[in-house]
Amino acid sequence: MEEKLELYEVEHVADLARIELTEEEKEQYAINLKKLLNEVEKISEIKNYDEELLITPVEHTVSLREDKNESGISFDKVKKNAPRTSGNFVEVPVMIHE
């Protein structure tokens, strides 16, 4: 049997991404996401991965562009992707409790 995530985990990720999945897609994502997580785990197991400074052998040059003042996105477009709004504000969950 192939390793896979629980369906509730896939549903939770899909909910966070605001996408709807069919039952077949959920099954496929459960397998694919587990494979991806296993590969990430292998990288984190590399000895001293977090401790060593990784330096590239190629010299990199940074090319910056000049800043340009451009118009932003209209609030109507923002509201379409926001889970909740109140007047001209986007409502978000409380992250820090007093």
Side-chain angles (χ1 to χ4, degrees):
M1 183 173 183
E2 289 184 278
E3 272 191 272
K4 64 181 189 177
L5 294 178
E6 296 293 329
L7 288 182
Y8 75 89
E9 294 173 304
V10 175
E11 291 167 350
H12 178 68
V13 172
D15 185 48
L16 291 173
R18 299 195 193 306
I19 57 175
E20 292 182 21
L21 299 174
T22 64
E23 291 303 316
E24 295 84 25
E25 289 172 326
K26 289 177 189 177
E27 288 291 333
Q28 190 61 43
Y29 280 118
I31 295 167
N32 291 341
L33 287 172
K34 184 60 178 179
K35 287 179 184 177
L36 178 66
L37 290 173
N38 287 340
E39 294 301 316
V40 170
E41 188 175 318
K42 286 180 188 177
I43 293 172
S44 66
E45 290 174 358
I46 296 173
K47 183 178 179 182
N48 299 329
Y49 175 76
D50 292 332
E51 298 170 10
E52 289 184 24
L53 177 62
L54 302 177
I55 301 174
T56 62
V58 179
E59 192 68 34
H60 291 282
T61 58
V62 179
S63 58
L64 301 175
R65 64 171 174 76
E66 186 177 327
D67 289 338
K68 294 180 183 176
N69 187 6
E70 298 178 359
S71 63
I73 302 172
S74 72
F75 188 68
D76 290 334
K77 287 185 180 180
V78 172
K79 281 178 30 175
K80 288 181 184 177
N81 289 319
R84 291 182 305 212
T85 59
S86 176
N88 289 335
F89 299 98
V90 175
E91 292 184 12
V92 296
V94 175
M95 294 294 169
I96 301 174
H97 298 282
E98 294 181 30

